[in-house]
Amino acid sequence: MTHFTLQRGRAPLLISLPHDGRFIPDDIAKRMYPAARRSPDTDWHVGRLYEPLAASIGASVLKPRMSRYVIDLNRPADGHALYPGLRETSLVSTVGFGGEPLYREGLEPDADEVQQRIRDYWLPYHQALADELARLCELHGSAVLWEGHSIRSRVPMLFEGRLPDFNLGTVSGESCDAALQRRLTGCLESQSLFSHAVNGRFKGGYITRHYGRPKHGVQGVQLELVQLNYMDEESFEYDDVKCVAVQELIGRMLQQCVA
């Protein structure tokens, strides 16, 4: 079984959606609490947001089938923290964003199971990601990697208060060149519908940090969206009306990546 899908495009842009998946295999799900089996911390509907935009500009799209509760593809395989000193979930997390346990007591994955999940899910996704970036760089000489994420507007375990609507991360300017960051920031500053932050609480996860190497031809950018702007955060239902303005702004930003 292929645990991810890759839609190859011709533009020098790869959109990675590592938390889009919701599937949890039965052998894992049966050890989890019922609430966890819904995978509530999914980056809900990001594929639905991005795929029409990607098709319109010819970008590649990579997304997993598996939930981040199976393994978090945006964490380093060695388990090191992304934000030392701040609370965060891990490579194979045993707690959700609210700090609640995911697994019934005594049924958490052990070290051997973690390694198995790395082999089965983490490594194939990252191999596909690296191969697609290499293909696009061979075609164009360089490429942009866009990490598409979303999150609830309020997650007290991870940040105080309400998160800005659009959170652009470039690892404090290290994962992309200054010109691209200026163009993307310009898109955010030229509108007034949505609040935004650049390299705030979310500066970029493992994928942005690891693959975003401008000197080697790959620029990495992460966008963390607040979900209430395109869906209902309680029911997880997509909002076909709200999403229009969100897609329009994302589309303008993606155009800057291929300009």
Side-chain angles (χ1 to χ4, degrees):
M1 179 186 296
T2 300
H3 300 302
F4 60 85
T5 61
L6 173 61
Q7 181 65 45
R8 290 189 173 94
R10 299 293 294 179
L13 174 61
L14 169 59
I15 299 171
S16 166
L17 307 173
H19 298 151
D20 179 74
R22 298 198 299 270
F23 180 69
I24 302 175
D26 288 343
D27 63 320
I28 297 174
K30 67 184 181 183
R31 294 149 50 198
M32 303 176 100
Y33 287 105
R37 295 172 196 163
R38 295 183 69 202
S39 193
D41 297 323
T42 297
D43 288 10
W44 291 93
H45 308 299
V46 288
R48 192 167 177 178
L49 279 174
Y50 276 98
E51 285 172 334
L53 301 172
S56 70
I57 59 178
S60 299
V61 179
L62 177 65
K63 61 180 187 177
R65 293 181 64 242
M66 298 298 167
S67 165
R68 69 187 303 159
Y69 286 174
V70 176
I71 195 163
D72 193 329
L73 300 167
N74 200 31
R75 296 292 187 273
D78 62 11
H80 284 177
L82 290 175
Y83 298 96
L86 299 176
R87 293 193 70 184
E88 59 181 303
T89 53
S90 58
L91 176 69
V92 176
S93 192
T94 57
V95 299
F97 281 2
E100 73 283 3
L102 302 179
Y103 293 87
R104 299 181 186 277
E105 187 175 355
L107 298 179
E108 301 87 353
D110 60 19
D112 288 341
E113 183 177 352
V114 170
Q115 290 303 310
Q116 186 64 52
R117 294 192 198 182
I118 291 172
R119 290 191 293 271
D120 290 347
Y121 309 118
W122 195 96
L123 288 173
Y125 188 89
H126 282 266
Q127 187 64 62
L129 194 158
D131 288 348
E132 182 63 6
L133 285 174
R135 184 184 75 87
L136 294 176
C137 285
E138 185 174 356
L139 281 174
H140 301 282
S142 63
V144 175
L145 170 62
W146 182 282
E147 275 286 292
H149 295 266
S150 75
I151 194 169
R152 293 192 299 276
S153 56
R154 295 180 184 273
V155 184
M157 189 183 90
L158 300 182
F159 51 86
E160 294 183 2
R162 185 195 185 283
L163 195 68
D165 297 319
F166 277 62
N167 298 268
L168 181 68
T170 65
V171 196
S172 298
E174 294 182 6
S175 65
C176 77
D177 64 36
L180 178 57
Q181 180 169 312
R182 281 195 302 270
R183 296 200 302 273
L184 296 174
T185 301
C187 291
L188 296 171
E189 292 176 342
S190 68
Q191 56 79 47
S192 59
L193 284 177
F194 304 107
S195 59
H196 69 274
V198 179
N199 290 311
R201 173 61 178 86
F202 294 96
K203 300 179 187 298
Y206 172 76
I207 292 175
T208 307
R209 300 180 193 199
H210 181 74
Y211 295 96
R213 299 177 180 178
K215 293 181 180 179
H216 295 87
V218 176
Q219 302 196 67
V221 174
Q222 176 179 292
L223 183 64
E224 188 84 55
L225 296 169
V226 161
Q227 292 171 346
L228 61 75
N229 289 304
Y230 68 88
M231 59 174 275
D232 185 285
E233 292 186 346
E234 298 302 320
S235 68
F236 308 141
E237 291 296 318
Y238 192 73
D239 191 314
D240 290 305
V241 176
K242 283 185 175 181
C243 75
V244 174
V246 173
Q247 281 184 308
E248 192 277 333
L249 181 52
I250 295 173
R252 287 170 51 201
M253 298 175 77
L254 293 178
Q255 286 289 348
Q256 294 301 318
C257 294
V258 296

